[in-house]
Every structure is written in structure tokens, then in C-alpha cells.
Amino acid sequence: MSEAQERAWTDLAPLYVIEVPRDSAATSILPGSSIDPVAVWGREAPLVAEIGSGQGHAIVHAATSRPDTDFLAIEVFRAGLARTMLDADRAGARNLRLVEANAPEVLQHLLPAASVDELWVFFPDPWHKKKHTKRRLVADGFAQIAAAALRDGGVLRLATDWEDYARQMRDVMAAASEFEPTFEGEWAPRFEGRVLTAFERKGARVGRDIRDLSYRRVSRP
């Protein structure tokens, strides 16, 4: 990290970062380490979690735009979390928390079941080489993990600029009985709540189609 990011981690992590018990890996979460969102955020409010928040552009913008909602940024790269805290602090966003951890473990172990109102996965690593596609996040098993974390009626929002991955996402979700699409046709309209980042502009500039998908968690039996 840069010196500014190191200072941000030292100064701001006590306010923003959720400290969690670790399992064997540095970004793992020890099973049974569930948090109480009301205690963490200090209130009862809708909760939005973003997987792979990067440098935090989308989630900081959302947190400052929606002060009545709580937000959780999930990211494994500490430099990105440090940048997120710097921007959040400048914007005065106090409804945002961060966790440095693997996303599936956050959904399975840290967040209580049915506690999330919206789950965002925007431009995840496409692992575009054929030998690496098995590392993609939105693959077999992901829908069930997401469904357990989302409340009934909660929404899963996906976006990618990689066509092959977009189709894989759509196939994965089509096979998930826990979800129903919120859109008609092939793709969802662009999510207006997603700030237009430099990354998305770059993808569009080189001719990639930005694909959005959106699914609602059906009611549990």
C-alpha cells in the first residue's frame, strides 16, 4: 500500500473495518463467527453488501446517496479497502463497514441468514483464460450461498463486461430455484444505483457490452 493507504488503515480501520476471527487463511473467517448487524451499524436498517468492492467507488457513492441504508464492502485486497475508507471518510459516510475476507465465507459464516436486502456483484474477475474459468465466483453453488444470506424478496444484482461470463451468470441463475428474474428478455436494464466508474467506461470504450442481471429471492417455504 502507499503511505496514504497505510495511514488510512491505521487511522480509519477502527471505525470502518469489521475485525473477524480467522480460520487457516489470512482472508478466511472462522465458522460460527456471525455478527449482529444492529450492533455493528448501531441501528436497524436495510443492508446492502457488495462482493469485490475494489477501490470502493460504487459502494461509497451508494452509501453517501442512501444514508437510510447500511452498506458492507467485501474485498480481499487491503489497498482497495484503504482507498475505500479514505473516500468514505472524506464523504462523511458513516453507514459503511468493510470486511477483508473471502466473499463466500462472509455470506456463509459472518452474516446472519436472511439478513441482506441487496447483494451486489459488479465486474468480478472474469478469469477469462479457459484453464482459469473454474475460479469464477458466479458458478455452481454460488446461488445457494447468496440465497441463504438474502432475505425473502431480497435482490441479487450482477454486472460484467465479459460476454462469456455474463452468459454463465445467467445460466447459473436460471438453474437456481431460490431466485426469479426481475427483468424480461435477455438482460436486465442497467442498475441506476451503480455509479459509472472509470472501469466501466473503459470496457464500453473498447467495445465490450455491459451486461446487467437482477434476481429476486423467492419466499422460503
Side-chain angles (χ1 to χ4, degrees), residues 8-10 12-20 22 40 72-73 78 81-82 85 96-101:
W9 193 268
T10 299
L12 299 175
L15 174 63
Y16 285 105
V17 176
I18 300 174
E19 293 294 339
V20 297
R22 301 296 183 182
V40 171
L72 176 65
R78 182 169 288 200
L81 292 171
M85 287 189 290
L96 173 62
R97 297 293 182 273
L98 292 67
V99 62
E100 182 186 16

Side-chain angles (χ1 to χ4, degrees), residues 156-197:
L156 171 64
R157 301 188 187 278
L158 307 168
T160 181
D161 63 342
W162 202 263
E163 185 77 13
D164 174 65
Y165 198 5
R167 294 182 181 279
Q168 177 178 321
M169 289 176 173
R170 194 173 58 187
D171 290 345
V172 166
M173 297 308 300
S177 60
E178 300 91 344
F179 289 93
E180 60 185 11
T182 66
F183 59 94
E184 296 181 357
E186 286 194 291
W187 308 106
R190 187 185 186 282
F191 173 45
E192 293 183 356
R194 187 177 76 245
V195 65
L196 185 62
T197 63

Side-chain angles (χ1 to χ4, degrees), residues 8-189:
W9 193 268
T10 299
D11 297 341
L12 299 175
L15 174 63
Y16 285 105
V17 176
I18 300 174
E19 293 294 339
V20 297
R22 301 296 183 182
D23 203 350
S24 56
T27 54
S28 63
I29 294 179
L30 190 68
S33 304
S34 179
I35 62 169
D36 175 4
V38 174
V40 171
W41 278 270
R43 63 177 182 176
E44 289 190 16
L47 176 59
V48 176
E50 183 183 12
I51 293 175
S53 55
Q55 296 189 46
H57 300 303
I59 203 162
V60 170
H61 178 270
T64 54
S65 303
R66 297 165 59 181
D68 58 338
T69 299
D70 292 332
F71 290 85
L72 176 65
I74 305 168
E75 179 57 68
V76 294
F77 296 109
R78 182 169 288 200
L81 292 171
R83 171 62 185 271
T84 300
M85 287 189 290
L86 282 169
D87 289 348
D89 187 57
R90 292 190 190 103
R94 296 294 180 259
N95 55 333
L96 173 62
R97 297 293 182 273
L98 292 67
V99 62
E100 182 186 16
N102 302 321
E105 295 179 45
V106 173
L107 301 183
Q108 291 173 300
H109 305 312
L110 191 68
L111 292 171
S115 63
V116 178
D117 290 79
E118 290 187 29
L119 182 62
W120 297 351
V121 185
F122 297 152
F123 305 99
D125 193 327
W127 295 105
H128 60 277
K129 292 184 178 179
K130 190 173 182 179
K131 63 181 179 179
H132 292 154
T133 55
K134 63 184 178 181
R135 300 181 185 179
R136 288 174 173 174
L137 174 69
V138 184
D140 292 343
F142 172 78
Q144 290 69 39
I145 294 172
L150 282 163
R151 65 166 178 81
D152 290 357
V155 177
L156 171 64
R157 301 188 187 278
L158 307 168
T160 181
D161 63 342
W162 202 263
E163 185 77 13
D164 174 65
Y165 198 5
R167 294 182 181 279
Q168 177 178 321
M169 289 176 173
R170 194 173 58 187
D171 290 345
V172 166
M173 297 308 300
S177 60
E178 300 91 344
F179 289 93
E180 60 185 11
T182 66
F183 59 94
E184 296 181 357
E186 286 194 291
W187 308 106

